[in-house]
Amino acid sequence: MRSAAGQLAQLIGRTPDSVSSLKPTEDGWQAQVEVLELERVPDTTSVMASYAVALDSEGRLVSYERTRRYTRGMIDRPT
């Protein structure tokens, strides 16, 4: 995952903040990666983005897609 995070950072120009999920797939791995897109003060108003990242069985990045943007202080509501 560290290697894939580095590859993602090179592509989007930002360093991943955290990995919120990681699960195996038939072809490798699927990860959800959180990235700080716009730093603001106070920190809870900073803009974050969530990326769906596909990795092959060797951990190389195959694809990525930004799936969501939100403020750092935002809490998901139950559905």
Side-chain angles (χ1 to χ4, degrees):
M1 190 62 229
R2 285 187 199 126
S3 173
Q7 293 170 61
L8 181 63
Q10 288 179 339
L11 290 169
I12 64 174
R14 294 174 178 85
T15 304
D17 193 62
S18 65
V19 176
S20 56
S21 72
L22 180 65
K23 60 184 175 184
T25 65
E26 288 184 15
D27 301 321
W29 296 90
Q30 179 73 34
Q32 199 69 31
V33 179
E34 310 306 315
V35 175
L36 174 64
E37 289 210 331
L38 180 60
E39 192 167 5
R40 292 187 175 158
V41 175
D43 188 51
T44 55
T45 63
S46 292
V47 178
M48 302 292 295
S50 188
Y51 285 83
V53 178
L55 312 170
D56 68 12
S57 60
E58 301 296 317
R60 291 182 296 259
L61 189 134
V62 175
S63 68
Y64 72 96
E65 176 183 11
R66 184 172 67 193
T67 57
R68 179 175 170 232
R69 290 182 85 196
Y70 59 97
T71 58
R72 188 184 289 267
M74 190 167 128
I75 297 172
D76 288 338
R77 297 175 192 252
T79 56

